[in-house]
Amino acid sequence: QQQVKQSPQSLIVQKGGISIINCAYENTAFDYFPWYQQFPGKGPALLIAIRPDVSEKKEGRFTISFNKSAKQFSLHIMDSQPGDSATYFCAASRGSGNTGKLIFGQGTTLQVKP
Amino acid sequence: NAGVTQTPKFQVLKTGQSMTLQCAQDMNHNSMYWYRQDPGMGLRLIYYSASEGTTDKGEVPNGYNVSRLNKREFSLRLESAAPSQTSVYFCASRPNYGYTFGSGTRLTVV
């Protein structure tokens, strides 16, 4: 039962380019949508997150775009750098008062070529 | 350093052996989680503990047991390891929304 679907599985981008990773969810009760970044041998680390009451959130070179009606959200990495090479996971959860279980997408391995 | 600490970092088990993965957090978080990470499947929730004294099953609990020893510690036990349990295991804790993950335990069952 995959409630969050992520694409593409892998992505190669040239330095300075834009990296785009997409996710789609099924459960309309989800109200928190984070993106995690994971480097080899490390645990995932929170990168940026959004709530469904806004359509976009930007932090530095990282932007989340959110489309509530389509039940989709995406991560845009502007001016991609080799240091951005990592695996990215989208996720979704429902309410902090709930158990807050995060449901993760399958992950996208990003390689930024110099 | 504050955070989530997992031990061991690496482990090789023979089929049928048992072991316990340890996790401790020093951030006074109420909720703790165990996930497994497999290629192409993202992270899947095994068990979680919403607060001290409570535990509940996640998406893939079969073959595992957990203990929330106190607020800081949440252990994961494999009673009879199987090759299908070869994976990287992550423990996480959270205050409200954002999770903090440990660095993982890479387990191989042969």
Side-chain angles (χ1 to χ4, degrees):
Chain A
Q1 178 182 353
Q2 184 64 47
Q3 297 187 51
V4 179
K5 294 184 178 181
Q6 184 174 344
S7 63
Q9 187 174 354
S10 62
L11 182 62
I12 300 174
V13 174
Q14 291 295 128
K15 178 182 176 181
I18 302 174
S19 303
I20 301 174
I21 305 170
N22 300 299
C23 282
Y25 64 96
E26 300 171 3
N27 190 342
T28 55
F30 287 148
D31 64 355
Y32 174 67
F33 301 89
W35 285 89
Y36 281 79
Q37 180 188 55
Q38 183 183 32
F39 293 106
K42 304 292 186 182
L46 180 64
L47 184 63
I48 186 173
I50 197 168
R51 305 275 191 122
D53 53 344
V54 297
S55 60
E56 185 175 283
K57 182 175 182 180
K58 184 176 181 180
E59 290 184 3
R61 295 184 294 108
F62 301 90
T63 300
I64 298 179
S65 297
F66 186 83
N67 185 330
K68 188 173 182 178
S69 61
K71 294 187 287 185
Q72 295 176 347
F73 59 110
S74 60
L75 176 69
H76 295 235
I77 306 174
M78 311 301 288
D79 187 26
S80 299
Q81 299 297 312
D84 297 330
S85 297
T87 300
Y88 293 82
F89 294 97
C90 63
S93 71
R94 179 169 63 96
S96 67
N98 195 272
T99 58
K101 295 177 291 183
L102 276 177
I103 308 298
F104 285 87
Q106 298 94 325
T108 297
T109 301
L110 171 65
Q111 180 184 358
V112 180
K113 290 192 169 183
Chain B
N1 293 335
V4 178
T5 302
Q6 290 184 237
T7 56
K9 292 189 182 301
F10 301 94
Q11 185 71 48
V12 179
L13 287 180
K14 293 183 179 180
T15 298
Q17 286 185 319
S18 63
M19 79 162 294
T20 300
L21 281 65
Q22 306 288 350
C23 175
Q25 52 95 5
D26 57 6
M27 297 170 287
N28 202 36
H29 292 168
N30 285 320
S31 301
M32 297 185 73
Y33 306 82
W34 276 104
Y35 284 85
R36 60 177 288 174
Q37 182 177 8
D38 302 290
M41 304 193 74
L43 292 98
R44 293 180 293 167
L45 183 63
I46 305 171
Y47 269 93
Y48 64 97
S49 171
S51 62
E52 184 179 356
T54 68
T55 61
D56 211 340
K57 296 178 180 179
E59 182 185 356
V60 288
N62 291 345
Y64 305 96
N65 284 300
V66 291
S67 296
R68 183 73 183 267
L69 305 171
N70 47 56
K71 192 170 186 178
R72 291 187 62 249
E73 299 172 288
F74 187 38
S75 62
L76 178 71
R77 182 162 178 83
L78 288 70
E79 291 291 351
S80 179
S84 61
Q85 294 178 304
T86 293
S87 186
V88 181
Y89 292 85
F90 288 100
C91 176
S93 69
R94 75 168 186 115
N96 288 313
Y97 282 97
Y99 280 26
T100 299
F101 281 89
S103 57
T105 295
R106 183 173 294 274
L107 175 67
T108 302
V109 183
V110 297

